[in-house]
Amino acid sequence: MGVSGQRTFAVAVTTCRRPEGVSYLGQALRSIRDAGFEVWTVVVDGPELVPRPAPNDLAAAVEPCDFQMGPKLCFKRALSSLLEEAVQWLIVFQDDVQVARGLRGWLEGPDNLPDDGVCSLYCSETLGANDAGYDAWWRLNLTPTDERPQPWYGSLGACALMLRPAVAEMFLEEDPQMGRTDRIGAALGEFCYKQGIPFWVHSPSLVEHVGEVSVNGKMPMTPERTAGRFCSDVSQL
């Protein structure tokens, strides 16, 4: 770690239609802006953005799709859109998050980001139970074992992922036979393991998952779907 100075971030939010008209997008966009980020584009997994947030909340380009792509392809489309700009980091948030206030300024501080790889701003309670309570970035061990033949499954999450543009380009060009799961965190974790790319997670979590209603309906907030420790304001770090 140790790349200091001003960093530039390109930010996208992915969203999809949820049952019964439930939407967290407006509050997520407000939270992302309160964290100091400008949202460049909202990528919709489907042909229309329904329900549509208030104009003051949206204030970003909207990219619909003629069909429902699924989470992984929607994530890849967001990365592709962000790669059109010359920046140092790409960030893709999902539409049901709360972000630590002031996060952008903190990330731009000296020694507050790993030099390279993939950074998850979200740390599930499942992962956080293994970090001994440290306030730091830590590199996940994604090496398969007999007990954990696919350690990238189950707990990585995809609420808020940061990638260097070069890593994003590699992920977009991956072999279609690799990472065939539609679970973004698992696919990206497997990719990082096979390419030797570090996958970093910060604890406490810098993002909280707030969406009880998924595309499949209401789901329990299991340890994989919630942060064990969430830093709501970077002044707490």
Side-chain angles (χ1 to χ4, degrees):
M1 302 186 190
V3 176
S4 62
Q6 183 76 12
R7 295 182 180 87
T8 52
F9 302 95
V11 177
V13 177
T14 58
T15 188
C16 62
R17 190 167 186 169
R18 299 171 190 264
E20 302 175 5
V22 173
S23 176
Y24 305 100
L25 179 59
Q27 67 188 61
L29 291 169
R30 291 193 296 273
S31 179
I32 292 167
R33 292 197 179 92
D34 286 345
F37 296 103
E38 176 187 358
V39 178
W40 294 24
T41 185
V42 174
V43 179
V44 185
D45 189 4
E48 57 182 338
L49 184 57
V50 178
R52 197 174 185 87
N56 288 343
D57 289 337
L58 187 54
V62 176
E63 298 183 41
C65 183
D66 292 337
F67 58 94
Q68 191 164 2
M69 299 174 282
K72 183 180 173 184
L73 287 180
C74 190
F75 175 75
K76 285 191 164 188
R77 181 170 180 173
L79 289 179
S80 182
S81 294
L82 295 179
L83 280 170
E84 296 176 3
E85 305 295 334
V87 295
Q88 294 175 293
W89 288 94
L90 314 181
I91 309 179
V92 180
F93 291 99
Q94 293 186 331
D95 65 353
D96 54 355
V97 296
Q98 178 184 349
V99 184
R101 184 178 292 271
L103 179 58
R104 176 173 182 160
W106 182 83
L107 291 175
E108 290 176 339
D111 301 318
N112 284 347
L113 261 180
D115 294 339
D116 208 348
V118 173
C119 300
S120 176
L121 300 173
Y122 171 72
C123 180
S124 69
E125 183 176 351
T126 302
L127 284 180
N130 300 321
D131 76 349
Y134 297 124
D135 293 353
W137 292 99
W138 51 292
R139 182 174 178 174
L140 293 185
N141 182 0
L142 296 174
T143 303
T145 63
D146 291 341
E147 294 77 19
R148 300 172 66 233
Q150 296 178 311
W152 41 82
Y153 274 100
S155 59
L156 299 189
C159 290
L161 292 165
M162 293 181 54
L163 295 81
R164 288 286 197 182
V167 174
E169 289 175 346
M170 291 174 63
F171 185 60
L172 291 175
E173 296 169 357
E174 69 169 348
D175 184 340
Q177 295 303 309
M178 187 176 76
R180 285 176 286 182
T181 175
D182 206 33
R183 297 181 69 168
I184 301 163
L188 194 55
E190 181 182 6
F191 162 80
C192 285
Y193 165 68
K194 292 185 175 180
Q195 298 294 333
I197 295 170
F199 193 115
W200 302 90
V201 174
H202 192 278
S203 183
S205 185
L206 303 171
V207 167
E208 177 64 289
H209 176 238
V210 300
E212 291 189 27
V213 179
S214 74
V215 290
N216 299 315
K218 189 167 184 177
M219 298 177 65
M221 298 299 281
T222 63
E224 295 177 5
R225 301 187 71 240
T226 188
R229 294 192 302 142
F230 169 52
C231 173
S232 60
D233 192 303
V234 295
S235 63
Q236 301 168 8
L237 294 172

